[in-house]
């Protein structure tokens, strides 16, 4: 609503922007005092229902974000009373007559918006202005088929995984000057957001665009509605998973699943305009610089210290790479995470959530900026998603990046062996990178408390019970050659397939079991003590039994996925301010 955006309607309830058009006799939505009136008539109020039905229809729904709970009426406000007509009782969300108690205003539905290049918690309130405005916001959203690459949609009773893709396609006014204006675009900035099952924490993992990956075959729906099966390619940059060869966001989704073992529930895509419009809608985002930055490529020119940036300047900040850190895309990722952390703090602050001007501006900017998968193209579904993500406290939102090492060409990177898989496993196992699960981890550690045998004294037989072919032999080689468990043997496949890896042992082998658990990153739940659990090895000595399950990802890769304290990856929480250097 532009009037509010210009600061001329700070005290106007959005519902009061419906006015009577004397030419048509209909109530219409007027966005500014000087704007021409909409030709679309406002829906009239239905005939009064029976008391019981009316009571049921006006029962408020609860839309909560954190501890903030607002009421949302099921009914829409009717048109204003014309002169001479009987006065009716005002409906929820509308103002009553003089001397009457005003009903509680609705702050409406909260929408989670993830924008390309700018992961942002934009909790947007859609007030009870009416069905037409609701439809207007729905019509703003661009939908793209997920082509069966998603889980089928998020659920309130499990963890949520959202794939946020920022494309460098130069669409939109004013973006043609940024490099190749005719480019079909790439997956230039990609973040996988994992929200824990208990909603206590979230991990936002950046995926470097220049990381070498395998892009799998991808069945896509093209713009004309036709289906096209695009052949996969091996050993290519991650950013080629979008745009190139006609690839759609569902191809990026499949590439992420191939890389991490995590299937996203949804994806959201936005271009450069998302950064500009959203940062402007909230009145700018505060950033901090340790030094002056003057980048000829991005056109960013800022002095050391704190600045509030928006629009073109915000986009320039996020595109800067040559004037910070090592001048690489990895340094740019750090800038983006700093910007997003600040944006999240502002979005979740009362300064934004209680400001009707910002809320309405955000509703417009966010829905226009987004292209989302076809399973969440309705405001109600986005609102429900926003309610779930909004439960996470800022201090427990952790930004991290896939650990990488330089490739031989100097222009690309590779996932760091062991470390990258450990991070993926941590997310797959719904383990927090913050300390919100400290109590659970302490309980886990207590189960493993006790004496450890020396690695050379550990006796274990390894079986494959569901892992990839060759895993048992690879594990045996790793145990004997890398960690000193020389008294180990590999005896083929187990009798049955196991979902989880287990280590069975007799009670008097507990010290050996703890040592092997340390070496392999086994959780306490993987340990199965009990009389008669061990077997006799080729030397006639009792040996523990290690059965590799379907969760096994490779020799030397910790199965527990690590924890907030011992996972060796870069990480920063959204509540902490960090200055770019």
């Amino acid at each position: 609503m532009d009037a509010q955006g210009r600061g001329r309607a700070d005290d106007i309830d959005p519902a009061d922007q419906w006015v009577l058009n004397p030419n048509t006799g209909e109530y219409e939505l007027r966005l500014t005092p000087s704007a021409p009136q909409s030709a679309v008539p406002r829906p009239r109020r239905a005939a009064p229902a029976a008391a019981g039905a009316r009571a049921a229809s006006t029962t408020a729904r609860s839309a909560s974000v954190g501890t903030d709970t607002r009421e949302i009426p099921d009914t829409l406000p009717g048109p204003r009373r014309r002169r001479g007509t009987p006065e009716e009782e005002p409906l929820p969300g509308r103002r009553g007559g003089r001397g009457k108690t005003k009903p509680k205003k609705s702050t409406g539905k909260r929408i989670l918006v993830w924008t390309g290049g700018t992961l942002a918690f934009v909790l947007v309130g859609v007030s009870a202005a009416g069905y037409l405005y609701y439809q207007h916001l729905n019509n703003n959203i661009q939908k793209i088929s997920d082509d069966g690459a998603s889980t089928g949609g998020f659920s309130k009773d499990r963890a949520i995984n959202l794939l946020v893709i920022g494309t460098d396609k130069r669409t939109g006014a004013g973006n043609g000057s940024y490099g190749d204006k005719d480019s079909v675009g790439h997956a230039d900035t990609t973040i996988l957001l994992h929200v824990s099952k208990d909603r206590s924490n979230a991990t936002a993992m950046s995926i470097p665009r220049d990381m070498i990956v395998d892009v799998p075959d991808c069945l896509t729906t093209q713009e004309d509605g036709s289906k096209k099966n695009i052949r996969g390619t091996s050993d290519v940059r991650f950013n080629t998973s979008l745009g190139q060869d006609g690839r759609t966001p569902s191809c990026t989704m499949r590439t992420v699943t191939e890389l991490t073992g995590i299937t996203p529930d949804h994806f959201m895509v936005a271009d450069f305009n998302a950064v500009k419009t959203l940062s402007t809608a909230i009145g700018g985002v505060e950033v901090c610089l340790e030094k002056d930055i003057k980048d000829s490529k991005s056109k960013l020119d800022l002095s050391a210290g704190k600045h509030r940036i928006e629009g073109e300047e915000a986009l320039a900040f996020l595109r800067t790479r040559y004037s910070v850190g090592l001048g690489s895309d990895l340094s740019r990722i750090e800038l983006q995470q700093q910007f997003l952390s600040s944006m999240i703090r502002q979005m979740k602050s009362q300064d934004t959530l209680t400001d009707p001007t910002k809320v309405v501006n955000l509703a417009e900017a966010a829905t226009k900026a987004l292209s989302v998968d076809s399973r969440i193209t309705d405001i109600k579904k986005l609102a429900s998603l926003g309610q779930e993500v909004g439960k996470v406290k800022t201090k427990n939102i952790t930004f991290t990046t896939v650990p990488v090492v330089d490739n031989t060409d100097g222009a690309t990177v590779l996932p760091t062996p062991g470390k990258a898989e450990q991070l993926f496993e941590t997310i797959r196992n719904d383990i927090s990178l913050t300390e919100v699960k400290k109590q659970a981890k302490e309980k886990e550690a207590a189960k493993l408390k006790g004496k450890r045998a020396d690695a050379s004294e550990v006796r274990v037989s390894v079986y494959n019970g569901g892992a990839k072919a060759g895993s048992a032999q690879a594990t045996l080689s790793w145990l004997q050659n890398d960690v000193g468990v020389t008294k180990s043997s590999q005896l083929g496949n187990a009798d049955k397939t196991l979902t989880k890896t287990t280590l069975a042992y007799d009670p008097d082998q507990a010290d050996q079991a703890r040592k092997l658990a340390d070496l392999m990153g086994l959780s306490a739940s993987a340990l199965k003590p009990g009389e008669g659990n061990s077997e006799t090895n080729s030397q006639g000595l009792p040996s523990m039994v290690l059965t590799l399950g379907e969760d096994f990802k490779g020799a030397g890769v910790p199965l527990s996925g690590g924890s907030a304290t011992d996972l060796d990856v870069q990480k920063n929480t959204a509540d902490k301010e960090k200055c770019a250097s």
Side-chain angles (χ1 to χ4, degrees):
M1 301 198 178
D2 297 339
Q4 291 181 331
R6 296 186 181 94
R8 296 198 303 260
D10 291 341
D11 298 322
I12 296 177
D13 186 329
D16 290 335
Q17 292 181 295
W18 289 101
V19 297
L20 176 67
N21 186 331
N23 297 321
T24 64
E26 300 289 348
Y27 284 89
E28 301 170 356
L29 178 64
R30 176 174 291 179
L31 300 182
T32 71
S34 59
Q37 291 181 334
S38 168
V40 183
R42 182 182 186 223
R44 295 181 180 277
R45 180 186 302 178
R54 182 168 60 248
S57 68
T58 55
T59 301
R61 297 190 303 273
S62 173
S64 62
V65 178
T67 58
D68 181 20
T69 303
R70 312 294 177 93
E71 292 182 346
I72 304 174
D74 278 324
T75 58
L76 296 172
R80 292 182 180 277
R81 179 175 58 89
R82 300 184 184 182
R83 290 184 181 179
T85 58
E87 185 174 63
E88 298 178 4
E89 180 180 351
L91 293 176
R94 296 298 305 273
R95 296 178 180 176
R98 255 183 218 181
K100 292 182 178 291
T101 302
K102 295 181 180 180
K104 184 177 180 180
K105 291 183 182 178
S106 167
T107 57
K109 297 177 169 55
R110 300 294 176 86
I111 305 168
L112 170 72
V113 175
W114 298 97
T115 67
T118 63
L119 177 72
F121 289 90
V122 184
L123 302 176
V124 178
V126 180
S127 76
Y131 177 74
L132 292 182
Y133 189 60
Y134 165 81
Q135 285 295 91
H136 165 72
L137 292 181
N138 266 349
N139 292 337
N140 282 346
I141 303 173
Q142 300 294 316
K143 68 178 180 179
I144 305 173
S145 176
D146 73 341
D147 295 308
S150 74
T151 62
F154 81 96
S155 172
K156 292 185 177 182
D157 59 357
R158 59 177 174 81
I160 298 172
N161 292 293
L162 301 177
L163 187 64
V164 186
I165 309 169
T167 175
D168 58 358
K169 187 175 181 180
R170 270 63 170 167
T171 53
N175 295 325
S177 61
Y178 302 128
D180 183 3
K181 65 179 181 179
D182 298 320
S183 171
V184 294
H186 304 78
D188 192 55
T189 300
T190 305
I191 296 175
L192 178 65
L193 174 75
H194 172 85
V195 182
S196 67
K197 180 179 178 179
D198 63 8
R199 308 299 186 251
S200 66
N201 66 91
T203 298
M205 182 181 71
S206 295
I207 302 176
R209 68 177 190 180
D210 296 325
M211 186 169 66
I212 298 300
V213 298
D214 293 336
V215 177
D217 292 351
C218 182
L219 178 65
T220 68
T221 302
Q222 299 296 297
E223 290 185 2
D224 62 1
S226 64
K227 299 287 186 179
K228 180 180 180 181
N229 188 32
I230 302 172
R231 295 292 301 274
T233 51
S234 301
D235 297 327
V236 293
R237 281 180 167 87
F238 176 85
N239 67 354
T240 62
S241 64
L242 177 68
Q244 311 308 299
D245 300 320
R247 291 187 176 115
T248 64
S250 66
C251 297
T252 306
M253 184 178 276
R254 294 184 195 278
T255 303
V256 169
T257 302
E258 179 88 2
L259 172 68
T260 67
I262 301 166
T263 302
D265 300 300
H266 299 286
F267 65 72
M268 297 187 179
V269 185
D271 59 19
F272 288 169
N273 282 342
V275 179
K276 296 190 286 188
T277 57
L278 286 171
S279 60
T280 300
I282 61 173
V285 175
E286 187 176 90
V287 296
C288 176
L289 306 179
E290 286 187 359
K291 64 178 184 179
D292 297 348
I293 293 182
K294 190 169 185 178
D295 193 292
S296 60
K297 297 286 187 181
S298 69
K299 310 302 182 186
L300 182 67
D301 188 357
L302 290 176
S303 60
K306 293 184 178 181
H307 300 270
R308 185 168 291 275
I309 59 176
E310 61 182 71
E312 294 286 348
E313 195 169 39
L315 179 59
F317 183 86
L318 292 177
R319 294 184 65 239
T320 295
R321 58 183 292 193
Y322 297 107
S323 301
V324 292
L326 299 176
S328 68
D329 185 57
L330 298 177
S331 297
R332 187 178 67 160
I333 286 176
E334 292 183 13
L335 269 190
Q336 292 168 351
Q337 292 178 353
Q338 293 162 25
F339 181 90
L340 297 175
S341 293
S342 179
M343 199 171 193
I344 288 172
R345 292 194 297 271
Q346 186 165 335
M347 292 297 180
K348 291 173 76 72
S349 73
Q350 289 302 306
D351 288 345
T352 297
L353 296 179
T354 61
D355 187 325
T357 299
K358 291 180 180 179
V359 163
V360 174
N361 286 346
L362 279 170
E364 291 290 342
T367 52
K368 288 178 181 177
L370 280 175
S371 295
V372 302
D373 72 75
S374 51
R375 299 180 186 275
I376 48 170
T377 54
D378 185 85
I379 295 296
K380 293 178 182 178
K381 293 180 181 178
L382 286 172
S384 179
L385 183 59
Q387 290 172 25
E388 295 304 303
V389 180
K391 295 174 183 177
V392 182
K393 294 180 180 179
T394 307
K395 68 178 182 179
N396 292 328
I397 301 170
T398 306
F399 285 92
T400 188
T401 304
V402 176
V404 293
V405 293
D406 287 336
N407 199 3
T408 53
D409 61 5
T412 57
V413 293
L414 296 169
T416 304
K419 284 186 180 181
E421 178 56 36
Q422 188 177 8
L423 176 59
F424 303 153
E425 185 73 9
T426 297
I427 297 174
R428 286 196 298 265
N429 288 342
D430 200 22
I431 297 176
S432 174
L433 296 187
T434 62
E435 291 299 323
V436 294
K437 294 187 176 180
K438 182 178 180 181
Q439 189 174 21
K441 285 183 287 186
E442 289 176 347
K443 186 176 181 181
E444 177 86 358
K447 294 180 181 179
L448 295 173
K449 189 176 181 180
K451 182 182 176 183
R452 265 72 170 163
D454 188 80
S456 62
E457 297 302 317
V458 174
R459 296 187 299 273
V460 61
S461 298
V462 184
Y463 291 87
N464 191 332
K468 292 181 180 179
S471 293
Q473 184 58 48
T475 299
L476 179 67
S477 177
W478 175 75
L479 287 171
Q480 294 182 343
N481 300 323
D482 295 344
V483 295
V485 181
T486 55
K487 297 177 181 178
S488 50
S489 57
Q490 192 277 111
L491 300 176
N493 294 329
D495 295 333
K496 60 181 179 179
T497 299
L498 300 180
T499 302
K500 300 289 185 180
T501 297
T502 62
L503 177 63
Y505 59 95
D506 287 341
D508 61 356
Q509 297 171 319
D511 55 345
Q512 295 183 45
R514 296 187 194 104
K515 181 62 178 181
L516 190 59
D518 291 345
L519 294 172
M520 296 190 63
L522 296 173
S523 64
S525 61
L527 274 56
K528 307 296 180 184
E531 293 290 345
N533 276 353
S534 66
E535 65 179 24
T536 303
N537 64 13
S538 58
Q539 287 80 39
L541 298 172
S543 175
M544 298 185 296
V545 178
L546 174 67
T547 306
L548 307 179
E550 293 176 330
D551 63 333
F552 184 79
K553 299 304 178 183
V557 179
L559 282 166
S560 63
S563 68
T565 56
D566 60 23
L567 190 61
D568 185 20
V569 296
Q570 164 268 328
K571 49 184 180 284
N572 299 290
T573 53
D575 63 320
K576 298 200 170 48
E577 180 182 278
K578 186 176 180 181
C579 296
S581 58

